[in-house]
Amino acid sequence: MTSTPPTAVDPGTVSRWAAALRASALVGTSRRAAGVLPSGLAPADHASLLDQAALLDVLGRAGATPTAGEPVAPAPANRLPEAPAAAVQLLTLLLRQSPLTAGARDAQLDRWLERCAAAGYGLPADLLPEVVAMARQRRAMRAALARVWDARGRWYAEMFAPYLLLDAPDDADEVAPPDPHAAVRAAVAASWEHATAKERVRLLEAMLAGLSIADEPFLEEVLDDRAKTVRALAARLLTQLPDSRLAQRMGRRLTPLIRVTKRLLRDPLLAVDPPTSIDDAAARDGLDKDGGNGQPVAWLRAIIAGAPLSTWTEATGLPPEKIVKQLAGDQTVTTALLSVVGLRRDTVWAAALTASSGRGDLVHLLPPEQQTRWMIDTLRSAPANPLPFLRAAREAPQPWPTALATAVADRIARSADGDPFLLGFDERLQSGFGPEVAAHLDRLNPPEDHARARRILAIVRQNTAFARSIDDAFPPRRNP
């Protein structure tokens, strides 16, 4: 059997054919034909656009020159003992064939990582890629993962998912650097000059986690960027830094808008007036000069969002609880304060706004005892609108305290199918129960016609049983 020797093809001809093929693919064959296949590359019947595109891909792959890479360092040995076999079996079940809903699976995976770290064990190496793959999508689990992935897990993350290391301290005993965000800021600055506006927005978004006052000089310069979207994002980031120069400027703009009417032997009356105009300096700080009749209200919201909370107490001489009580009727101001207090995570203002508004937006910022008390009181008052409680319960750390979990279970058991409480009781909330309430759950028996309540309680029982299995799978390690 004889073979036909390959036919030499002029490289210039191939380059021109490739350019014409790409142009045809871009505008469509109805506007530009795919072109003529260079002689000798393939049979003439391979003339369609897709055939030629496939051929071009093969030529590109076959013509690539392999390069010598650096050898990969072998994985180091782990220092922690591997998790017990029963625990590994449960983790495998969660990863590959979970019997739980997606939300419950995530909650139990977090519990598994926490119990593993508390008991002093490490993640099994063969499951490491699967757990890392989940951590790529769930930032909330990365810190817990970093406590159990050990030396081999860190080696794996450095090669395949280095961004996970941003949420993982090098060593629990290591002193934190004075400016942990310096590396991120340096990387952003190095790419800034040649980045497009969209790329600059993404670079600023990368600075959000770990944002600190050390980032303020760079962000202050970005307020003069040529792209409006970039300037607006820089202003929003600076509003999260109450000690920034932008925040101080916003505070000076807010002070004259707060109207204080003094009264004899009584607290002064408070009101807030929207600004009637803004100058170029305010526009640089993110206030939009162009707009319709509602623009003054938008300016007021932006000023409140950017000003330090101390501006209110200094301008009025009143504590936060009296300020929010007097301004409770002003929905614009109250809504803006709810937003900024949530962003700044101020517990004193959070307590004042929660007591005044009755809303659950900021309950997660209260001390644990106050959180639990507020949620139980709200639950027992049987409000027609359960959304404030449900919102607060979603933000509360899980599993909930036993008293709260018991009260929630009782509320589920007595709720009919059309109850808005049950309609809003989603997967996140179904994962809030710890194994401590398992016996109480077993005693609950809603009526047969309460199908939704029975179904939710069945899911909750399954979740708590799985949580108990995880706890039992991690016996305390004996000291050597």
mmCIF file of all heavy atoms in Angstrom, residues 7-21 34-44 46-47 52 55-56 59:
data_model
loop_
_atom_site.group_PDB
_atom_site.id
_atom_site.type_symbol
_atom_site.label_atom_id
_atom_site.label_comp_id
_atom_site.label_asym_id
_atom_site.label_seq_id
_atom_site.Cartn_x
_atom_site.Cartn_y
_atom_site.Cartn_z
ATOM 1 N N THR A 7 0.907 17.570 -0.017
ATOM 2 C CA THR A 7 1.082 18.657 -0.976
ATOM 3 C C THR A 7 1.489 19.923 -0.220
ATOM 4 O O THR A 7 0.878 20.292 0.779
ATOM 5 C CB THR A 7 -0.233 18.906 -1.733
ATOM 6 O OG1 THR A 7 -0.631 17.686 -2.374
ATOM 7 C CG2 THR A 7 -0.064 19.999 -2.769
ATOM 8 N N ALA A 8 2.535 20.577 -0.696
ATOM 9 C CA ALA A 8 2.983 21.825 -0.071
ATOM 10 C C ALA A 8 1.949 22.918 -0.312
ATOM 11 O O ALA A 8 1.431 23.065 -1.427
ATOM 12 C CB ALA A 8 4.338 22.237 -0.623
ATOM 13 N N VAL A 9 1.641 23.666 0.728
ATOM 14 C CA VAL A 9 0.665 24.760 0.642
ATOM 15 C C VAL A 9 1.353 26.041 1.065
ATOM 16 O O VAL A 9 2.029 26.091 2.110
ATOM 17 C CB VAL A 9 -0.559 24.489 1.538
ATOM 18 C CG1 VAL A 9 -1.572 25.622 1.409
ATOM 19 C CG2 VAL A 9 -1.206 23.163 1.162
ATOM 20 N N ASP A 10 1.181 27.082 0.279
ATOM 21 C CA ASP A 10 1.815 28.362 0.572
ATOM 22 C C ASP A 10 1.233 28.956 1.860
ATOM 23 O O ASP A 10 0.011 29.114 1.968
ATOM 24 C CB ASP A 10 1.587 29.324 -0.601
ATOM 25 C CG ASP A 10 2.143 30.705 -0.310
ATOM 26 O OD1 ASP A 10 3.287 30.795 0.160
ATOM 27 O OD2 ASP A 10 1.408 31.693 -0.526
ATOM 28 N N PRO A 11 2.072 29.271 2.843
ATOM 29 C CA PRO A 11 1.559 29.837 4.102
ATOM 30 C C PRO A 11 0.764 31.120 3.893
ATOM 31 O O PRO A 11 -0.212 31.379 4.605
ATOM 32 C CB PRO A 11 2.830 30.085 4.928
ATOM 33 C CG PRO A 11 3.839 29.146 4.350
ATOM 34 C CD PRO A 11 3.526 29.036 2.891
ATOM 35 N N GLY A 12 1.174 31.947 2.937
ATOM 36 C CA GLY A 12 0.438 33.183 2.687
ATOM 37 C C GLY A 12 -0.971 32.919 2.214
ATOM 38 O O GLY A 12 -1.923 33.611 2.597
ATOM 39 N N THR A 13 -1.108 31.887 1.381
ATOM 40 C CA THR A 13 -2.439 31.519 0.908
ATOM 41 C C THR A 13 -3.321 31.078 2.074
ATOM 42 O O THR A 13 -4.504 31.429 2.164
ATOM 43 C CB THR A 13 -2.339 30.391 -0.133
ATOM 44 O OG1 THR A 13 -1.517 30.834 -1.216
ATOM 45 C CG2 THR A 13 -3.708 29.986 -0.644
ATOM 46 N N VAL A 14 -2.742 30.279 2.982
ATOM 47 C CA VAL A 14 -3.501 29.825 4.146
ATOM 48 C C VAL A 14 -3.911 31.001 5.022
ATOM 49 O O VAL A 14 -5.051 31.068 5.505
ATOM 50 C CB VAL A 14 -2.668 28.806 4.945
ATOM 51 C CG1 VAL A 14 -3.383 28.431 6.232
ATOM 52 C CG2 VAL A 14 -2.399 27.570 4.113
ATOM 53 N N SER A 15 -3.023 31.966 5.199
ATOM 54 C CA SER A 15 -3.348 33.131 6.044
ATOM 55 C C SER A 15 -4.486 33.942 5.452
ATOM 56 O O SER A 15 -5.394 34.382 6.157
ATOM 57 C CB SER A 15 -2.112 34.016 6.223
ATOM 58 O OG SER A 15 -1.097 33.319 6.915
ATOM 59 N N ARG A 16 -4.441 34.152 4.117
ATOM 60 C CA ARG A 16 -5.512 34.914 3.474
ATOM 61 C C ARG A 16 -6.842 34.158 3.533
ATOM 62 O O ARG A 16 -7.907 34.747 3.752
ATOM 63 C CB ARG A 16 -5.128 35.220 2.020
ATOM 64 C CG ARG A 16 -3.997 36.251 1.898
ATOM 65 C CD ARG A 16 -3.805 36.685 0.457
ATOM 66 N NE ARG A 16 -3.297 35.594 -0.386
ATOM 67 C CZ ARG A 16 -1.999 35.296 -0.521
ATOM 68 N NH1 ARG A 16 -1.084 36.016 0.128
ATOM 69 N NH2 ARG A 16 -1.601 34.313 -1.297
ATOM 70 N N TRP A 17 -6.766 32.835 3.363
ATOM 71 C CA TRP A 17 -7.983 32.025 3.462
ATOM 72 C C TRP A 17 -8.582 32.092 4.880
ATOM 73 O O TRP A 17 -9.785 32.232 5.053
ATOM 74 C CB TRP A 17 -7.652 30.575 3.094
ATOM 75 C CG TRP A 17 -8.673 29.585 3.573
ATOM 76 C CD1 TRP A 17 -9.930 29.416 3.111
ATOM 77 C CD2 TRP A 17 -8.501 28.628 4.637
ATOM 78 N NE1 TRP A 17 -10.575 28.410 3.798
ATOM 79 C CE2 TRP A 17 -9.707 27.914 4.751
ATOM 80 C CE3 TRP A 17 -7.443 28.304 5.470
ATOM 81 C CZ2 TRP A 17 -9.892 26.901 5.678
ATOM 82 C CZ3 TRP A 17 -7.612 27.297 6.399
ATOM 83 C CH2 TRP A 17 -8.835 26.606 6.510
ATOM 84 N N ALA A 18 -7.718 32.032 5.884
ATOM 85 C CA ALA A 18 -8.200 32.087 7.266
ATOM 86 C C ALA A 18 -8.867 33.427 7.564
ATOM 87 O O ALA A 18 -9.917 33.492 8.217
ATOM 88 C CB ALA A 18 -7.048 31.830 8.240
ATOM 89 N N ALA A 19 -8.277 34.530 7.076
ATOM 90 C CA ALA A 19 -8.870 35.851 7.304
ATOM 91 C C ALA A 19 -10.220 35.964 6.619
ATOM 92 O O ALA A 19 -11.190 36.498 7.185
ATOM 93 C CB ALA A 19 -7.919 36.938 6.807
ATOM 94 N N ALA A 20 -10.317 35.453 5.374
ATOM 95 C CA ALA A 20 -11.587 35.505 4.652
ATOM 96 C C ALA A 20 -12.640 34.652 5.348
ATOM 97 O O ALA A 20 -13.825 35.012 5.413
ATOM 98 C CB ALA A 20 -11.383 35.036 3.218
ATOM 99 N N LEU A 21 -12.228 33.498 5.889
ATOM 100 C CA LEU A 21 -13.157 32.614 6.578
ATOM 101 C C LEU A 21 -13.715 33.278 7.828
ATOM 102 O O LEU A 21 -14.916 33.217 8.110
ATOM 103 C CB LEU A 21 -12.444 31.307 6.935
ATOM 104 C CG LEU A 21 -13.291 30.233 7.617
ATOM 105 C CD1 LEU A 21 -14.404 29.778 6.680
ATOM 106 C CD2 LEU A 21 -12.424 29.048 8.025
ATOM 107 N N ALA A 34 -18.139 31.639 1.974
ATOM 108 C CA ALA A 34 -17.052 31.122 2.808
ATOM 109 C C ALA A 34 -15.696 31.180 2.132
ATOM 110 O O ALA A 34 -14.661 31.141 2.783
ATOM 111 C CB ALA A 34 -17.370 29.684 3.213
ATOM 112 N N GLY A 35 -15.656 31.267 0.825
ATOM 113 C CA GLY A 35 -14.379 31.354 0.139
ATOM 114 C C GLY A 35 -13.933 30.008 -0.393
ATOM 115 O O GLY A 35 -14.551 28.973 -0.150
ATOM 116 N N VAL A 36 -12.827 30.040 -1.086
ATOM 117 C CA VAL A 36 -12.310 28.842 -1.731
ATOM 118 C C VAL A 36 -11.264 28.187 -0.835
ATOM 119 O O VAL A 36 -10.332 28.845 -0.380
ATOM 120 C CB VAL A 36 -11.699 29.175 -3.109
ATOM 121 C CG1 VAL A 36 -11.142 27.912 -3.770
ATOM 122 C CG2 VAL A 36 -12.740 29.841 -4.001
ATOM 123 N N LEU A 37 -11.427 26.919 -0.607
ATOM 124 C CA LEU A 37 -10.487 26.166 0.210
ATOM 125 C C LEU A 37 -9.171 26.009 -0.544
ATOM 126 O O LEU A 37 -9.164 25.600 -1.707
ATOM 127 C CB LEU A 37 -11.079 24.793 0.523
ATOM 128 C CG LEU A 37 -10.332 23.900 1.503
ATOM 129 C CD1 LEU A 37 -10.386 24.508 2.893
ATOM 130 C CD2 LEU A 37 -10.967 22.518 1.522
ATOM 131 N N PRO A 38 -8.031 26.370 0.058
ATOM 132 C CA PRO A 38 -6.745 26.221 -0.641
ATOM 133 C C PRO A 38 -6.523 24.778 -1.084
ATOM 134 O O PRO A 38 -6.807 23.834 -0.352
ATOM 135 C CB PRO A 38 -5.729 26.645 0.424
ATOM 136 C CG PRO A 38 -6.481 27.555 1.324
ATOM 137 C CD PRO A 38 -7.874 26.994 1.372
ATOM 138 N N SER A 39 -6.032 24.621 -2.275
ATOM 139 C CA SER A 39 -5.786 23.299 -2.842
ATOM 140 C C SER A 39 -4.763 22.538 -2.011
ATOM 141 O O SER A 39 -3.736 23.092 -1.604
ATOM 142 C CB SER A 39 -5.285 23.447 -4.291
ATOM 143 O OG SER A 39 -4.968 22.181 -4.833
ATOM 144 N N GLY A 40 -5.079 21.272 -1.746
ATOM 145 C CA GLY A 40 -4.150 20.421 -1.024
ATOM 146 C C GLY A 40 -4.425 20.302 0.456
ATOM 147 O O GLY A 40 -3.837 19.463 1.130
ATOM 148 N N LEU A 41 -5.321 21.142 1.004
ATOM 149 C CA LEU A 41 -5.598 21.073 2.440
ATOM 150 C C LEU A 41 -6.607 19.984 2.780
ATOM 151 O O LEU A 41 -6.500 19.314 3.796
ATOM 152 C CB LEU A 41 -6.129 22.417 2.951
ATOM 153 C CG LEU A 41 -5.101 23.520 3.221
ATOM 154 C CD1 LEU A 41 -5.793 24.755 3.773
ATOM 155 C CD2 LEU A 41 -4.029 23.054 4.177
ATOM 156 N N ALA A 42 -7.618 19.836 1.926
ATOM 157 C CA ALA A 42 -8.689 18.874 2.192
ATOM 158 C C ALA A 42 -9.436 18.618 0.900
ATOM 159 O O ALA A 42 -9.291 19.383 -0.073
ATOM 160 C CB ALA A 42 -9.636 19.419 3.263
ATOM 161 N N PRO A 43 -10.243 17.549 0.835
ATOM 162 C CA PRO A 43 -11.041 17.296 -0.364
ATOM 163 C C PRO A 43 -11.941 18.476 -0.683
ATOM 164 O O PRO A 43 -12.367 19.227 0.194
ATOM 165 C CB PRO A 43 -11.853 16.052 0.008
ATOM 166 C CG PRO A 43 -11.045 15.381 1.068
ATOM 167 C CD PRO A 43 -10.373 16.477 1.821
ATOM 168 N N ALA A 44 -12.230 18.643 -1.961
ATOM 169 C CA ALA A 44 -13.001 19.802 -2.413
ATOM 170 C C ALA A 44 -14.407 19.831 -1.854
ATOM 171 O O ALA A 44 -15.036 20.890 -1.791
ATOM 172 C CB ALA A 44 -13.045 19.816 -3.948
ATOM 173 N N HIS A 46 -15.296 19.541 1.127
ATOM 174 C CA HIS A 46 -15.303 20.165 2.452
ATOM 175 C C HIS A 46 -15.328 21.692 2.296
ATOM 176 O O HIS A 46 -14.423 22.398 2.714
ATOM 177 C CB HIS A 46 -14.071 19.750 3.264
ATOM 178 C CG HIS A 46 -14.114 18.336 3.741
ATOM 179 N ND1 HIS A 46 -14.168 17.269 2.876
ATOM 180 C CD2 HIS A 46 -14.125 17.810 4.994
ATOM 181 C CE1 HIS A 46 -14.190 16.135 3.561
ATOM 182 N NE2 HIS A 46 -14.182 16.437 4.857
ATOM 183 N N ALA A 47 -16.365 22.179 1.649
ATOM 184 C CA ALA A 47 -16.377 23.598 1.291
ATOM 185 C C ALA A 47 -17.296 24.433 2.171
ATOM 186 O O ALA A 47 -17.281 25.655 2.081
ATOM 187 C CB ALA A 47 -16.807 23.754 -0.171
ATOM 188 N N GLN A 52 -14.844 24.176 6.906
ATOM 189 C CA GLN A 52 -13.607 24.948 6.824
ATOM 190 C C GLN A 52 -13.175 25.456 8.203
ATOM 191 O O GLN A 52 -11.979 25.507 8.514
ATOM 192 C CB GLN A 52 -13.783 26.111 5.848
ATOM 193 C CG GLN A 52 -13.976 25.671 4.397
ATOM 194 C CD GLN A 52 -13.866 26.841 3.439
ATOM 195 O OE1 GLN A 52 -12.946 27.640 3.541
ATOM 196 N NE2 GLN A 52 -14.805 26.924 2.487
ATOM 197 N N LEU A 55 -11.523 22.666 9.956
ATOM 198 C CA LEU A 55 -10.185 22.455 9.410
ATOM 199 C C LEU A 55 -9.207 23.505 9.935
ATOM 200 O O LEU A 55 -8.064 23.190 10.295
ATOM 201 C CB LEU A 55 -10.252 22.512 7.877
ATOM 202 C CG LEU A 55 -8.918 22.382 7.135
ATOM 203 C CD1 LEU A 55 -8.252 21.041 7.438
ATOM 204 C CD2 LEU A 55 -9.133 22.549 5.626
ATOM 205 N N LEU A 56 -9.665 24.749 10.011
ATOM 206 C CA LEU A 56 -8.803 25.816 10.525
ATOM 207 C C LEU A 56 -8.419 25.552 11.979
ATOM 208 O O LEU A 56 -7.273 25.780 12.390
ATOM 209 C CB LEU A 56 -9.516 27.165 10.400
ATOM 210 C CG LEU A 56 -8.750 28.391 10.901
ATOM 211 C CD1 LEU A 56 -7.446 28.570 10.127
ATOM 212 C CD2 LEU A 56 -9.611 29.643 10.797
ATOM 213 N N LEU A 59 -5.727 22.893 12.002
ATOM 214 C CA LEU A 59 -4.437 23.446 11.575
ATOM 215 C C LEU A 59 -3.782 24.239 12.717
ATOM 216 O O LEU A 59 -2.572 24.157 12.932
ATOM 217 C CB LEU A 59 -4.640 24.357 10.369
ATOM 218 C CG LEU A 59 -4.993 23.667 9.036
ATOM 219 C CD1 LEU A 59 -5.302 24.720 7.980
ATOM 220 C CD2 LEU A 59 -3.834 22.782 8.585
#
